[in-house]
Amino acid sequence: MSRVQLVNANEATEDRKAILNQIHGAFGVVPNMFRAVANSPAALKSMWGSFGALGSGVLGAKLGEKIAVAIADKNRCEYCLAAHTALGQNAGVSADEMAAAQAGQSDDAQTAAALRFALKLVANRAQIADADITELKAVGFNDEQIVEIMAHVALNIFTNYVNVAFNVPVDFPKVNLLAA
């Protein structure tokens, strides 16, 4: 059971309802995570705006979803793991590729470097070394892409924390976390 109210769009204030209707238009439903965040119009606007901005970013949906599942598993967020696995597969990523990304791995050198970097940011609370940036640049990432990886990490930490702390019920097909 969620630790905060899951806001119903039909009963929401106009500022919340407008954003929840946009989310419904994108997903065909309003996922429980957004319903939980809708308790704060400012937080909802921030989260939805971040998804929109990063969705049209230079990294593309496939890499964004791979980063999301790696971070979700690291943070033990069953909600985000389930949601981003489904979204990744909808974006054309195979189930095997999503499972590898969940473990922080990829056969693609660029993707593997991005996942290592993202997981290092989470594990070390952004305390990284020059070599971490050098590794990304060595596989072809530029500063714009590196900053965007950071933005994906930040957004996913936000969503992971919301779902874990508030015990938001998962409304996507379940995906098992990897062993701790």
Side-chain angles (χ1 to χ4, degrees):
M1 174 183 245
S2 181
R3 294 180 177 125
V4 297
Q5 174 185 345
L6 299 180
V7 174
N8 182 328
N10 295 328
E11 301 167 3
T13 58
E14 289 304 315
D15 54 346
R16 291 172 174 101
K17 187 180 286 190
I19 297 171
L20 292 172
N21 285 340
Q22 290 174 19
I23 293 165
H24 187 276
F27 290 97
V29 297
V30 179
N32 285 339
M33 176 186 69
F34 293 107
R35 294 179 61 211
V37 173
N39 282 284
S40 165
L44 180 62
K45 185 176 183 179
S46 172
M47 182 183 281
W48 186 239
S50 293
F51 274 112
L54 292 175
S56 63
V58 295
L59 293 182
K62 292 179 181 182
L63 182 54
E65 298 303 340
K66 289 176 183 180
I67 291 169
V69 296
I71 294 171
D73 198 82
K74 179 74 170 173
N75 286 329
R76 314 295 296 159
C77 182
E78 293 178 353
Y79 191 99
C80 289
L81 180 58
H84 289 287
T85 297
L87 293 170
Q89 290 175 337
N90 288 345
V93 181
S94 74
D96 288 343
E97 288 175 300
M98 290 306 291
Q102 180 184 348
Q105 301 170 355
S106 175
D107 291 337
D108 175 73
Q110 236 188 3
T111 300
L115 294 173
R116 279 191 303 278
F117 180 70
L119 289 170
K120 189 169 196 175
L121 286 168
V122 173
N124 297 340
R125 297 183 178 166
Q127 301 297 313
I128 60 168
D130 292 345
D132 298 312
I133 300 298
T134 300
E135 178 187 0
L136 290 172
K137 289 183 176 184
V139 295
F141 284 111
N142 62 33
D143 288 346
E144 178 182 10
Q145 294 165 314
I146 294 168
V147 171
E148 198 166 299
I149 292 169
M150 177 68 75
H152 276 276
V153 170
L155 175 58
N156 283 284
I157 289 171
F158 177 25
T159 62
N160 290 179
Y161 282 19
V162 162
N163 291 301
V164 172
F166 298 148
N167 198 34
V168 176
V170 180
D171 50 358
F172 288 88
K174 181 174 175 42
V175 177
N176 293 324
L177 293 165
L178 299 176

